[in-house]
Tab-separated table of all heavy atoms in Angstrom:
chain	number	residue	atom	x	y	z
J	721	ASP	N	-40.614	-6.017	4.373
J	721	ASP	CA	-40.386	-5.015	3.333
J	721	ASP	C	-38.916	-4.626	3.256
J	721	ASP	O	-38.407	-4.298	2.192
J	721	ASP	CB	-41.218	-3.762	3.601
J	721	ASP	CG	-42.701	-4.041	3.489
J	721	ASP	OD1	-43.088	-4.834	2.612
J	721	ASP	OD2	-43.460	-3.464	4.285
J	722	MET	N	-38.228	-4.649	4.397
J	722	MET	CA	-36.832	-4.235	4.441
J	722	MET	C	-36.152	-4.982	5.577
J	722	MET	O	-36.739	-5.190	6.626
J	722	MET	CB	-36.731	-2.731	4.689
J	722	MET	CG	-35.318	-2.218	4.773
J	722	MET	SD	-35.239	-0.478	5.197
J	722	MET	CE	-35.473	0.247	3.597
J	723	SER	N	-34.931	-5.378	5.342
J	723	SER	CA	-34.162	-6.056	6.375
J	723	SER	C	-32.707	-6.102	5.951
J	723	SER	O	-32.392	-5.940	4.773
J	723	SER	CB	-34.669	-7.492	6.566
J	723	SER	OG	-33.902	-8.189	7.525
J	724	VAL	N	-31.836	-6.329	6.913
J	724	VAL	CA	-30.466	-6.655	6.554
J	724	VAL	C	-30.523	-8.029	5.892
J	724	VAL	O	-31.429	-8.820	6.152
J	724	VAL	CB	-29.531	-6.680	7.790
J	724	VAL	CG1	-29.416	-5.303	8.395
J	724	VAL	CG2	-30.023	-7.684	8.822
J	725	ILE	N	-29.598	-8.292	5.002
J	725	ILE	CA	-29.555	-9.586	4.332
J	725	ILE	C	-28.092	-9.953	4.133
J	725	ILE	O	-27.249	-9.075	3.899
J	725	ILE	CB	-30.326	-9.550	2.988
J	725	ILE	CG1	-30.482	-10.946	2.390
J	725	ILE	CG2	-29.680	-8.589	2.011
J	725	ILE	CD1	-31.461	-11.014	1.216
J	726	SER	N	-27.799	-11.216	4.257
J	726	SER	CA	-26.408	-11.633	4.083
J	726	SER	C	-26.004	-11.487	2.616
J	726	SER	O	-26.839	-11.522	1.714
J	726	SER	CB	-26.214	-13.087	4.539
J	726	SER	OG	-26.969	-13.968	3.734
J	727	ALA	N	-24.720	-11.297	2.390
J	727	ALA	CA	-24.223	-11.096	1.027
J	727	ALA	C	-24.551	-12.279	0.128
J	727	ALA	O	-24.921	-12.101	-1.038
J	727	ALA	CB	-22.711	-10.854	1.058
J	728	ILE	N	-24.465	-13.490	0.647
J	728	ILE	CA	-24.747	-14.668	-0.180
J	728	ILE	C	-26.220	-14.708	-0.575
J	728	ILE	O	-26.566	-15.026	-1.714
J	728	ILE	CB	-24.293	-15.983	0.513
J	728	ILE	CG1	-24.383	-17.166	-0.442
J	728	ILE	CG2	-25.096	-16.265	1.765
J	728	ILE	CD1	-23.429	-17.141	-1.584
J	729	GLU	N	-27.121	-14.354	0.318
J	729	GLU	CA	-28.544	-14.348	-0.021
J	729	GLU	C	-28.874	-13.220	-0.987
J	729	GLU	O	-29.708	-13.380	-1.873
J	729	GLU	CB	-29.411	-14.255	1.236
J	729	GLU	CG	-29.427	-15.533	2.038
J	729	GLU	CD	-29.937	-16.735	1.255
J	729	GLU	OE1	-30.960	-16.638	0.551
J	729	GLU	OE2	-29.297	-17.797	1.345
J	730	TYR	N	-28.214	-12.079	-0.833
J	730	TYR	CA	-28.432	-10.997	-1.794
J	730	TYR	C	-27.995	-11.445	-3.188
J	730	TYR	O	-28.695	-11.232	-4.170
J	730	TYR	CB	-27.694	-9.716	-1.392
J	730	TYR	CG	-27.897	-8.631	-2.411
J	730	TYR	CD1	-29.091	-7.910	-2.445
J	730	TYR	CD2	-26.939	-8.366	-3.386
J	730	TYR	CE1	-29.309	-6.938	-3.405
J	730	TYR	CE2	-27.150	-7.390	-4.349
J	730	TYR	CZ	-28.338	-6.691	-4.349
J	730	TYR	OH	-28.552	-5.730	-5.313
J	731	ALA	N	-26.845	-12.105	-3.258
J	731	ALA	CA	-26.355	-12.584	-4.556
J	731	ALA	C	-27.318	-13.604	-5.162
J	731	ALA	O	-27.567	-13.586	-6.367
J	731	ALA	CB	-24.965	-13.196	-4.403
J	732	ARG	N	-27.891	-14.457	-4.336
J	732	ARG	CA	-28.833	-15.478	-4.825
J	732	ARG	C	-30.127	-14.860	-5.330
J	732	ARG	O	-30.793	-15.426	-6.179
J	732	ARG	CB	-29.149	-16.468	-3.713
J	732	ARG	CG	-28.014	-17.400	-3.389
J	732	ARG	CD	-28.371	-18.308	-2.232
J	732	ARG	NE	-27.268	-19.216	-1.963
J	732	ARG	CZ	-27.050	-19.799	-0.795
J	732	ARG	NH1	-27.858	-19.567	0.222
J	732	ARG	NH2	-26.029	-20.607	-0.637
J	733	HIS	N	-30.516	-13.720	-4.785
J	733	HIS	CA	-31.814	-13.109	-5.110
J	733	HIS	C	-31.667	-11.679	-5.617
J	733	HIS	O	-32.598	-10.884	-5.494
J	733	HIS	CB	-32.710	-13.137	-3.871
J	733	HIS	CG	-32.917	-14.515	-3.336
J	733	HIS	ND1	-33.783	-15.410	-3.902
J	733	HIS	CD2	-32.322	-15.166	-2.308
J	733	HIS	CE1	-33.730	-16.555	-3.241
J	733	HIS	NE2	-32.853	-16.432	-2.269
J	734	ALA	N	-30.545	-11.344	-6.214
J	734	ALA	CA	-30.262	-9.967	-6.635
J	734	ALA	C	-31.296	-9.439	-7.616
J	734	ALA	O	-31.671	-8.273	-7.558
J	734	ALA	CB	-28.867	-9.869	-7.233
J	735	LYS	N	-31.798	-10.278	-8.511
J	735	LYS	CA	-32.767	-9.798	-9.508
J	735	LYS	C	-34.096	-9.405	-8.869
J	735	LYS	O	-34.844	-8.617	-9.434
J	735	LYS	CB	-32.984	-10.838	-10.605
J	735	LYS	CG	-33.646	-12.120	-10.181
J	735	LYS	CD	-33.828	-13.028	-11.379
J	735	LYS	CE	-34.392	-14.371	-11.132
J	735	LYS	NZ	-35.211	-14.688	-10.079
J	736	ASP	N	-34.377	-9.925	-7.694
J	736	ASP	CA	-35.635	-9.617	-7.000
J	736	ASP	C	-35.440	-8.624	-5.854
J	736	ASP	O	-36.374	-8.363	-5.107
J	736	ASP	CB	-36.241	-10.906	-6.431
J	736	ASP	CG	-36.520	-11.934	-7.502
J	736	ASP	OD1	-37.019	-11.550	-8.577
J	736	ASP	OD2	-36.223	-13.122	-7.277
J	737	SER	N	-34.237	-8.095	-5.697
J	737	SER	CA	-33.925	-7.245	-4.556
J	737	SER	C	-33.370	-5.902	-4.999
J	737	SER	O	-32.932	-5.732	-6.130
J	737	SER	CB	-32.872	-7.927	-3.667
J	737	SER	OG	-33.289	-9.196	-3.257
J	738	CYS	N	-33.401	-4.969	-4.082
J	738	CYS	CA	-32.691	-3.714	-4.296
J	738	CYS	C	-31.913	-3.449	-3.024
J	738	CYS	O	-32.241	-3.958	-1.965
J	738	CYS	CB	-33.642	-2.568	-4.611
J	738	CYS	SG	-34.755	-2.133	-3.281
J	739	SER	N	-30.858	-2.703	-3.136
J	739	SER	CA	-30.044	-2.450	-1.953
J	739	SER	C	-30.017	-0.965	-1.643
J	739	SER	O	-30.190	-0.128	-2.516
J	739	SER	CB	-28.617	-2.972	-2.162
J	739	SER	OG	-28.002	-2.266	-3.208
J	740	CYS	N	-29.825	-0.668	-0.380
J	740	CYS	CA	-29.655	0.706	0.079
J	740	CYS	C	-28.159	0.960	0.169
J	740	CYS	O	-27.384	0.045	0.423
J	740	CYS	CB	-30.286	0.886	1.453
J	740	CYS	SG	-32.057	0.650	1.462
J	741	PRO	N	-27.740	2.195	-0.011
J	741	PRO	CA	-26.295	2.486	0.005
J	741	PRO	C	-25.706	2.529	1.410
J	741	PRO	O	-24.946	3.405	1.745
J	741	PRO	CB	-26.222	3.844	-0.687
J	741	PRO	CG	-27.522	4.484	-0.346
J	741	PRO	CD	-28.522	3.364	-0.338
J	742	ILE	N	-26.121	1.606	2.252
J	742	ILE	CA	-25.542	1.476	3.587
J	742	ILE	C	-25.238	0.004	3.803
J	742	ILE	O	-25.746	-0.859	3.103
J	742	ILE	CB	-26.489	1.984	4.689
J	742	ILE	CG1	-27.820	1.215	4.660
J	742	ILE	CG2	-26.739	3.472	4.551
J	742	ILE	CD1	-28.711	1.483	5.837
J	743	GLY	N	-24.416	-0.291	4.746
J	743	GLY	CA	-24.120	-1.687	5.019
J	743	GLY	C	-23.273	-1.845	6.253
J	743	GLY	O	-22.754	-0.886	6.800
J	744	ILE	N	-23.170	-3.067	6.671
J	744	ILE	CA	-22.300	-3.413	7.776
J	744	ILE	C	-21.120	-4.126	7.135
J	744	ILE	O	-21.293	-5.116	6.434
J	744	ILE	CB	-23.021	-4.343	8.772
J	744	ILE	CG1	-24.263	-3.641	9.330
J	744	ILE	CG2	-22.072	-4.774	9.880
J	744	ILE	CD1	-25.181	-4.551	10.101
J	745	SER	N	-19.942	-3.594	7.330
J	745	SER	CA	-18.787	-4.182	6.671
J	745	SER	C	-17.567	-4.071	7.571
J	745	SER	O	-17.609	-3.461	8.628
J	745	SER	CB	-18.533	-3.491	5.333
J	745	SER	OG	-18.265	-2.124	5.543
J	746	CYS	N	-16.486	-4.642	7.098
J	746	CYS	CA	-15.252	-4.633	7.852
J	746	CYS	C	-14.092	-4.585	6.874
J	746	CYS	O	-14.168	-5.164	5.797
J	746	CYS	CB	-15.184	-5.888	8.715
J	746	CYS	SG	-13.707	-5.987	9.717
J	747	ASP	N	-13.027	-3.910	7.217
J	747	ASP	CA	-11.875	-3.863	6.328
J	747	ASP	C	-10.774	-4.823	6.772
J	747	ASP	O	-9.637	-4.738	6.345
J	747	ASP	CB	-11.329	-2.436	6.196
J	747	ASP	CG	-10.791	-1.893	7.507
J	747	ASP	OD1	-10.875	-2.585	8.540
J	747	ASP	OD2	-10.276	-0.762	7.506
J	748	GLY	N	-11.126	-5.754	7.619
J	748	GLY	CA	-10.177	-6.768	8.082
J	748	GLY	C	-10.904	-8.052	8.425
J	748	GLY	O	-12.099	-8.183	8.167
J	749	PRO	N	-10.233	-9.007	9.009
J	749	PRO	CA	-10.878	-10.272	9.357
J	749	PRO	C	-12.048	-10.061	10.314
J	749	PRO	O	-11.954	-9.269	11.253
J	749	PRO	CB	-9.773	-11.068	10.049
J	749	PRO	CG	-8.490	-10.428	9.616
J	749	PRO	CD	-8.819	-8.981	9.374
J	750	VAL	N	-13.155	-10.715	10.043
J	750	VAL	CA	-14.341	-10.602	10.885
J	750	VAL	C	-14.312	-11.646	11.991
J	750	VAL	O	-14.687	-11.392	13.112
J	750	VAL	CB	-15.626	-10.742	10.039
J	750	VAL	CG1	-16.862	-10.715	10.922
J	750	VAL	CG2	-15.692	-9.647	9.001
J	751	ARG	N	-13.893	-12.816	11.661
J	751	ARG	CA	-13.793	-13.923	12.608
J	751	ARG	C	-15.129	-14.260	13.243
J	751	ARG	O	-15.215	-14.607	14.414
J	751	ARG	CB	-12.740	-13.639	13.676
J	751	ARG	CG	-11.367	-13.368	13.102
J	751	ARG	CD	-10.315	-13.338	14.193
J	751	ARG	NE	-9.052	-12.822	13.742
J	751	ARG	CZ	-8.187	-13.471	12.977
J	751	ARG	NH1	-8.476	-14.668	12.539
J	751	ARG	NH2	-7.043	-12.919	12.630
Side-chain angles (χ1 to χ4, degrees):
D721 294 323
M722 179 185 277
S723 178
V724 295
I725 189 169
S726 64
I728 189 67
E729 287 301 315
Y730 178 78
R732 288 177 179 156
H733 303 282
K735 66 178 176 26
D736 301 318
S737 304
C738 65
S739 64
C740 296
I742 59 170
I744 300 169
S745 61
C746 181
D747 64 357
V750 176
R751 303 190 192 285

